[in-house]
Amino acid sequence: MKKVFKTLRIVFRVLLIALGIIIVLQLLLFGVVIYSAFNPIIKTDTNWNNYEMYRTELHYAEEFLPSQNEFSNAKAVHFSYQKNFMLMFISKTVAVTVQYTPEEYLRAKESITQRYDFLDAPMLYHRDNNYELDNAFTYKGYDFCVVSCAGCRYFGMVGTNDDTCSIAYLYYSDTDRDYIAHADEDLDQEMRVLIDDEFCWVPFTE
C-alpha cells in the first residue's frame, strides 16, 4: 500500500511540474503574441541580385513587376523586399524605383499606359461600404495609379515623377487583408499609410 501511495505522490508531482511548464509556455506565448501585436517583425532585403527570386516567388508578382532586364537602360535603381509579421498575419512587398534620362523616362512612361490596365474608380469591399482599394493618389512627388486586380490581397501600383524622371513599381501581397480603409476614412491617406507601414520604399528626390 505504501508503495502505491509513494507512486501516486510521484505521479502527482510530475503532473504538477508538467502543468507548471505548460503554464509558463502559455505565458511566454501570450507575451510573444502581445509583443508582436504592437511590434511587428520585419525582414528586409535590398540586394538587387535577389529581385528576380522575389518576383517569381510571390503570388502574381511576375504579372506586374517588369523583369530585371527591362531596367537595363536605367540610370539608377532602388530595390527593396519587405516581409511583415504581426500576430498570425503576414504581408510581403516589393518596391522598385527606377530613374531614367529624360528621353528614356518619356519612353518608359508611355510603355506603362500600354502595359497596364488601371482602376478607374476606388474599389469597394463587397461585404460593406469599406474601401478595398484606391485607384489613384499622390505621395512624395509621385502620381500613383493602381493596376486593375481582384482586390487588395494582391495588387500593384505604379507611380511616376516627372521632376526626377523616375517610376516606382510597388507590389503588395497579404492573403488575409479585406480592405484598406473604412468608409469614413481618407482613402488617399490610408494608401500613403500602407506604403509607410508595409514597404521599404526609397523614392528619388532629385
Side-chain angles (χ1 to χ4, degrees), residues 107-174:
R107 279 192 284 268
K109 188 177 179 181
E110 176 63 26
S111 70
I112 289 173
T113 60
Q114 301 173 2
R115 180 173 191 153
Y116 300 108
D117 292 324
F118 295 103
L119 294 175
D120 55 12
M123 182 183 294
L124 292 177
Y125 184 45
H126 63 90
R127 293 181 185 174
D128 48 42
N129 289 323
N130 291 330
Y131 289 109
E132 190 165 357
L133 273 177
D134 201 353
N135 64 308
F137 62 98
T138 60
Y139 192 39
K140 295 185 177 180
Y142 287 76
D143 296 320
F144 279 97
C145 292
V146 178
V147 177
S148 295
C149 57
C152 65
R153 295 186 177 185
Y154 308 102
F155 71 93
M157 42 192 167
V158 182
T160 57
N161 188 324
D162 293 346
D163 293 333
T164 59
C165 295
S166 59
I167 299 175
Y169 300 86
L170 305 185
Y171 173 78
Y172 179 83
S173 168
D174 183 346

Side-chain angles (χ1 to χ4, degrees), residues 129-131 134 177 179-191 193:
N129 289 323
N130 291 330
Y131 289 109
D134 201 353
R177 187 149 204 156
Y179 56 86
I180 297 296
H182 293 289
D184 59 348
E185 292 180 314
D186 184 333
L187 181 55
D188 285 6
Q189 180 58 28
E190 291 305 310
M191 293 295 287
V193 170

Side-chain angles (χ1 to χ4, degrees), residues 3 14-15 21 25 35 48 54 62 65 77 109 116 123 125 137 141 146 149 168 171 178 193 197 201:
K3 290 183 179 179
V14 171
L15 289 175
I21 292 173
L25 290 176
Y35 178 83
W48 180 232
Y54 296 121
E62 196 169 9
L65 294 169
V77 177
K109 188 177 179 181
Y116 300 108
M123 182 183 294
Y125 184 45
F137 62 98
V146 178
C149 57
Y171 173 78
D178 291 322
V193 170
D197 290 346
W201 177 46

